[in-house]
Amino acid sequence: MTTLFDLDAEVGRSDEDEDYEAANGEGRSNNANGLDGNMEDSSEEGDDDDEEAEAEVRKGFIVDDPEDDGERRRKKRKRRREAANEERDDVDDEALDEEDLDLIGVRPASPQESKFKRLKRGHRGDDSAKKGPAGLDDIFADDDDLDDRRPVGRGRDHLGADLDDFIEQDEFSDEDPELRDELEVTRRPNKGLAAINNYRESGLDEAAIEDMDAAFGNGNEYDWVLQQEEDEEDAMGGDPDKPIELKDVFEPSQLVERMLTDEDAEIRETDVPERYQIARKPFKTEELTEEEQATLIAEESTWVTQMLLPKKSLDQTMREPFRKSIASILRFMNVENLEVPFIFQHRKDYLIHSEKDERGETLAQKLLDQDDLWEILELDLKYRALRQKRQALQRSYDAIREVTSKPDEVIESMLPVTATMEDVQDLQDYMHFQYSAELKDIALQTEVKGTQKKSRASRGLFERMRASGAYNVVRGFGVTPDAFAQSILDQNMGNYTDDPPSQPDDMADQYTDADFSTGTQVLKAAKAMFADELTMSPRLRKVMKGTYFNGGYFDCNRTEKGLKRIDEDHPYYELKYLRNLSIRALSGQPELYLRMLKAEQEGLIQVSLRLSNKRAFRSELQKALLSDNFSTVADAWNSLRQEVLELAILKLERLMVKSVKENLKTEMENQLAKRCRSVFSKKLDVAPYKPKGMISGTTPRVLAFTNGNGMGGPDSITWIYMEEDGRVLENGKFSDMRVGIPEKDLPDSPDIASFNELVDRRKPDVIGVSGFTVETRTLAKQLQNIINHFDLRGAEFEDEEEVEDRVKREKLDVVMVNDEVARLYHTSEQSRVDFPQYTPLTKYCIALARYLHNPLKEYASLGRNITSILFDPSQHLIPQQKLMNQLDTAMVDIVNLVGVDVDDLMSHASVQNLLPYICGLGPRKSSAMLQAINRNGGSVINRAELVGDPEAGKVQAVSASIWKNCASFLYIPYDASEPAANYLDNTRVHPEDYDLAKKMAADAMEIDEEDIKAEVEEYGEWAIVRRIEKDNQTERVNDLVLSEYADQILRDFNLKKRATLETIRAEFQTPFEELRRAYRGMDTEEVFTMLTGETNESIQEHMVVAVSIRKVFSDHLEVRMDNGIEGGVSESEFPSGIGGGDGVDPRQVFQPRQAIQAKITFLDRRTFVAQLTLREDEMRRVFRKEIDRNPGEWDHAQEDDDKRDAARKKDEITGRAQRVIKHPAFHPFNSTQAEEFLGPLNRGDVVIRPSSKGLDHLAVTWKVSDNIFRHIDVLELDKVNEFAVGKILRVAGKYSYADLDELIEFHIKPMAKKVDEMMGDERFNVGGRTEAEQWLTSYLEANPSRSMYNFYINREHPGYFNMCIKPGYKAAHLVWPVKIVPGAFELKGNEYPDVRALKNGFKTLWEVEKGQSQRAKAPPPVRSGPGMGGMGGMGMANGYATPMAMGMGRRY
């Protein structure tokens, strides 16, 4: 019992005594650490200061002088420091241990321990009770290190102790307990604190105290550090009383993640839509007058029109209305800060051009749609960047003009009309090349007494060339680069190249100087100069770009790596021999170009861009540059011009190819991202499932089912029931849902009765089914059979079309539910927070039911994880942020189309997920809005409350501009009993149009102005609107002629409101009508992809696939693919020699669970059934994906040559046919196929395959770890014939096995177990060498006197682990390879049965190598072992680095 209960008394703690004294009215000392009670305390000093300040205030003085404040703070800190020093002095007095007291001749009395003190002792002494707090060494040390600290001041001759410390006593043999005890005894215990109070009062004389202070210090040695900190704090204006801010508590990354930075606060407070603020962040804000703003919008609208018009099919007469429409959109965005949903909903009239024909009828043509608005927003941002870049370039040019008075026609003519960032960049390159010296001088100017002094900058070759007479040789080429480019652009300009009077060599000799001492140097520099001038000419670059875009063609050339890696089954095979692909042809298939670049990045192909008419284009350039004169001088200069032109063309081609490829990549990424956006928009634009007899938008009651992975067995079917409000009222599990067959005396399964009772009790509107495998379809069919057999019906509804018997109940619908959100949700962290009590499959069913309730809310709940959903097979080629931006715009469109119910904001997290996408808001502003609504009581009566009402005590939820953007998309259900409620707040009508709505309501009810005035005075401002709703007269607005309203508003207010009036009329009759597309079930292709994971691209007829045999019959095989598709192989599709009258019985060749390859001949995607063949002629016929290519886009000749070379090499290696072996693990794979097959399987799984070494060899591939596979060569001996398996299977020349099963069981599996054992060890590092070395470095930084090692897997040599060793803090890392052999680890030729033995063996080997290295007179020769990669220059023993070679000296 003593082990369970402590029967010894314990002396009460000091704090318990103090509590007792306080309870009995006795005073307590303010000194918490038992020091002198008269000592000053910093907290008391603070109170004194507060009292003094309060006294000054009472006298009428306000102390606000910052210098006085700073002085007072310094005095306060000084008093605190002095108090802390005195306290530290006393503590330091106590901190002297016995050795220190021995030095000064003092022996303290032994403290008496209370007999009641509870004892906790180890098996040897009570050293553990004396240990101090854990330090860094304790943090990083192993568990057994905590009791194994080295004594300080050891000599270097303690080699044994060092070795013990290096190994850290990992494990000891159980047979040597005396060694363990001896080591425990010899450890030096840590010294504790001596129990002495105030050594200055211990009787020492003053001289002794001074000696002790000199030896150990008095605690004030580091006061200068504290003083320095205070000085720095004073210099920075630090205030110790300053309140703690968020940045003082949280890490910067946490503040960014939680949106709590100063920048986030600024976004919340600024009265500009959040998405606009973030998008415009890179651009500076400009304050423009109305006239400047109008000019800017006119310029930008022209630029945007040029970008958009080619994509539109508009008549010539529509171009100006199109530009005016874009100008209006830009004004709404940039001046009024209106977001795209607002413009599309409330400024729709500006997206339409209307005019009246000869008969007076209005003709309208739609110019822009909502997607165009988002593109205009993107172009607006691009134009901002372009404009600011042009302004910066203009400023640089103006600065140059101040230095050089001569204008530059190139810059002045091209800068104002540059239309792309590439054009501006070309101008900038030209400016920096042409005026490099001037720009350096401008940058180095410094102000000296009000005057500008130029610093002498170093001059480059071209700068010296321009400054010297040698530049006359450049002028001798007779034409400027800009004039040359203009002559190419305008063929009618003619050729005006002039020839100098002298030969190039003679002219060069005339201009030699100190920089260019010979004519040859002058001529060489002149050629380089003129070539670079041609290269830097912005106009010539523009010519080249246009030429490449119009006449450029791409070729894909396979590399040596690609030749080996890209076979006919490789996804990049369609790129391997692609040729002559025009840029125009790529415009409609962006994924093709992006895949080309991806393959090039992986080193498999090389994507080259060339001109189709390169020779003609060069001839045109030469014609424009060369002189038309006929003379020896002209010929000499033309030869020189031609030479320089070739140099310039080579440089320009490199620049243009890079520029075109990068620009095209950006454009293709944008196209693919917009394609994903379009797919996502269709997914979002789906209304909730509509129960029969209900209006669109009604939320159904859902019964959701899943059978998960379809494994079968008890409780294999999970279900939940969800109410309309989203509550899960019931859940459970079924095992079997099969209907009985009376003809065969098979009864109904027991679960059917429970299911029928559940349906009758809950009366769901729909049954949703989904799962992970094709068995889900079987479950759906079973549920449908039950419903049909028992005539199960849903809830009652009233059919208004029927005259009699209007109450009906229809049969329940069973629908397959899209589960892409449910798959992400059911195992997510959010699901564990939402429903911690449910299993993952139950949460999966909850997500299915929620999807039927509202697909939009489910997608919104994913947040940034939305990119995990596949919208396009090639979406991984798009940068994540670019894809996310496009998906966000789709979410913004649909959320604002649907609107958000304000009443549900505070109580439904799913509604809060939608709020950031509301027009004008974002994650920051929406959170601030929710907080404001919560402070206002948690409810909103009308939209006007959102801007705040100080008189009513309502704080502002959104600012004015944000309210204008978001008001119409936040609806408040109308409550007629609430006087402040407004019927229009429950509609899509914007508050700015409420007066129009009132006017329409009054006119519809034919109420004159006097009656309106009386109604308003009696019932309030919105009395007319309330009345039309109350009297159910909203349909009377259909009688109004809205065109007359629109014409009058346009005349009186110059506002287009025709579409707005139509919206008001529709909202009067059906407020916030459901505008999304009606919910539809999944089609065959969608169900097939969801349950199998296959698409039309991944599985097709005539493809060769891997199948597993389920049953073998004499006339057919039943097989199954990994994706769950069932298949059959008829007797006619067997290989030759198998089946039929003369063939071998299939049951002797095939067996269940055997994996084979077969070709699909027929695939039914609706029933998930396929027919396959094993015939050799069909298997040899390679499947080729049908690709629609133009003639000349595929290099058939190169393809045929590569195939012949591959066949020849294969024949040279094997020379014989492939063999087939009857074994479940045998597959006719090559090494790559084997690795792909084993990829998703478990560690230790095996593939036996043919060997390239011939028919007397087999290859065995087994999975070592993820993406690591080991290939083993097996030699077959004692073979009956060349196709039979040898009776002796020999591996590595020393392991022999009788058959394949024995080889797997006694060779592969033992090695796989050793891999598991090593990877489960505490010293195993999951990373590679870099991570292992980083861990060792970090460990030894915290424990500099120790040594350490760990293990990591060798990915370059499968089957090996590496032991990474760091013998000391400053020592280099060593690597010793550890080989996995059957049942053991091999280290330097020694085998060890387990990791523990391996570690202990390493200790012995290390000691042996240490001794050898000490006796060696010279380093042994260098060798490399497996996994070492060579250790050139370092001493090695048996191929590995020795301790002496690493500079560790005698210590090791």
Side-chain angles (χ1 to χ4, degrees), residues 87 178 194 375 420 466 473 635 828 867 929 999 1011 1214 1227 1279 1289 1319 1374 1384 1450:
E87 180 178 341
E178 292 150 1
E375 189 163 1
T420 64
R466 292 192 187 97
V473 181
D635 293 342
S828 66
T867 55
M929 177 181 173
K999 173 65 175 171
D1011 292 338
T1214 60
H1227 300 275
K1279 294 169 63 73
L1289 304 178
M1319 298 182 74
L1374 306 178
R1450 295 191 305 273

Side-chain angles (χ1 to χ4, degrees), residues 625-918:
L625 183 63
L626 301 184
S627 169
D628 295 335
N629 298 327
F630 295 94
S631 66
T632 306
V633 173
D635 293 342
W637 278 103
N638 281 340
S639 176
L640 196 61
R641 293 182 186 113
Q642 192 166 353
E643 182 181 348
V644 171
L645 181 61
E646 290 298 322
L647 291 175
I649 287 177
L650 290 176
K651 294 181 179 181
L652 283 169
E653 283 180 343
R654 288 194 294 267
L655 288 173
M656 294 306 104
V657 168
K658 181 179 180 181
S659 175
V660 171
K661 288 176 71 173
E662 287 299 323
N663 290 339
L664 199 57
K665 178 184 177 183
T666 301
E667 178 61 26
M668 295 297 105
E669 287 176 349
N670 291 337
Q671 286 189 22
L672 188 55
K674 289 177 180 178
R675 182 189 297 176
C676 294
R677 178 191 184 277
S678 177
V679 174
F680 188 38
S681 294
K682 293 178 181 178
K683 291 177 179 289
L684 295 174
D685 190 17
V686 177
Y689 176 88
K690 186 178 80 67
K692 291 183 174 64
M694 302 296 178
I695 63 173
S696 181
T698 303
T699 305
R701 297 190 290 265
V702 181
L703 196 58
F705 281 79
T706 185
N707 57 355
N709 290 316
M711 301 301 293
D715 299 334
S716 59
I717 302 172
T718 304
W719 60 267
I720 64 102
Y721 171 74
M722 181 176 287
E723 274 286 354
E724 302 102 313
D725 56 5
R727 292 179 299 139
V728 179
L729 299 186
E730 197 172 351
N731 68 287
K733 292 186 177 182
F734 293 140
S735 299
D736 191 358
M737 303 295 291
R738 287 177 294 184
V739 178
I741 305 176
E743 296 82 3
K744 296 183 179 181
D745 295 329
L746 295 176
D748 296 336
S749 63
D751 290 330
I752 290 182
S754 302
F755 172 76
N756 293 344
E757 187 274 334
L758 174 65
V759 171
D760 186 63
R761 174 163 45 85
R762 291 299 185 184
K763 295 182 174 55
D765 297 312
V766 63
I767 295 178
V769 182
S770 198
F772 309 142
T773 62
V774 295
E775 279 74 15
T776 301
R777 181 177 171 274
T778 303
L779 174 62
K781 291 177 63 177
Q782 291 175 349
L783 292 172
Q784 191 64 60
N785 290 338
I786 296 173
I787 291 171
N788 295 334
H789 184 76
F790 294 96
D791 194 25
L792 301 181
R793 297 179 179 269
E796 294 180 349
F797 64 93
E798 188 173 341
D799 190 351
E800 297 180 354
E801 297 181 359
E802 294 289 340
V803 179
E804 298 180 357
D805 193 18
R806 302 179 68 176
V807 178
K808 290 186 175 181
R809 289 184 66 190
E810 295 286 345
K811 278 188 178 181
L812 277 174
D813 274 348
V814 177
V815 298
M816 294 293 294
V817 184
N818 188 333
D819 73 337
E820 57 189 7
V821 178
R823 291 193 186 210
L824 295 174
Y825 175 78
H826 78 290
T827 56
S828 66
E829 183 62 31
Q830 186 60 44
S831 70
R832 287 190 282 271
V833 174
D834 295 343
F835 303 102
Q837 71 276 26
Y838 293 142
T839 64
L841 281 182
T842 302
K843 291 181 282 191
Y844 175 81
C845 290
I846 292 173
L848 296 179
R850 284 178 168 178
Y851 186 89
L852 291 172
H853 274 193
N854 196 329
L856 177 63
K857 291 181 179 179
E858 286 303 284
Y859 285 113
S861 67
L862 293 178
R864 300 196 65 84
N865 291 329
I866 192 66
T867 55
S868 300
I869 293 178
L870 186 65
F871 304 104
D872 189 276
S874 302
Q875 75 181 47
H876 64 281
L877 301 173
I878 316 171
Q880 282 290 92
Q881 190 57 48
K882 181 175 290 189
L883 176 62
M884 193 69 207
N885 291 342
Q886 288 293 332
L887 299 181
D888 279 345
T889 62
M891 184 69 75
V892 169
D893 284 346
I894 305 301
V895 169
N896 287 279
L897 175 70
V898 176
V900 168
D901 187 344
V902 178
D903 284 357
D904 292 339
L905 270 179
M906 306 309 296
S907 56
H908 293 79
S910 60
V911 180
Q912 294 177 9
N913 291 332
L914 301 177
L915 192 60
Y917 301 102
I918 287 293

Side-chain angles (χ1 to χ4, degrees), residues 166 1333 1336-1338 1340-1341 1346-1350 1364-1374 1406 1448 1452:
F166 172 62
E1333 291 181 352
L1336 291 176
T1337 302
S1338 300
L1340 292 181
E1341 284 177 354
R1346 306 183 67 84
S1347 306
M1348 184 52 66
Y1349 65 91
N1350 58 15
C1364 190
I1365 312 162
K1366 191 169 176 62
Y1369 174 62
K1370 296 183 179 181
H1373 294 89
L1374 306 178
W1406 184 266
M1448 292 179 287
Y1452 290 90

Side-chain angles (χ1 to χ4, degrees), residues 1293-1311:
K1294 61 179 181 178
Y1295 302 104
S1296 298
Y1297 305 98
D1299 54 35
L1300 293 173
D1301 291 328
E1302 184 177 318
L1303 184 146
I1304 294 174
E1305 188 68 27
F1306 296 106
H1307 191 88
I1308 305 298
K1309 288 187 177 180
M1311 289 195 294

Side-chain angles (χ1 to χ4, degrees), residues 67 71 98 224 237 440 445 595 620 640-641 672 760 780 1147 1192 1302 1325 1373 1378:
E67 294 183 1
E71 184 64 27
E98 295 177 7
W224 62 275
K440 286 181 181 179
Q445 284 178 352
R595 291 177 65 231
E620 183 181 346
L640 196 61
R641 293 182 186 113
L672 188 55
D760 186 63
R1147 287 168 290 192
E1302 184 177 318
N1325 191 296
H1373 294 89
V1378 178

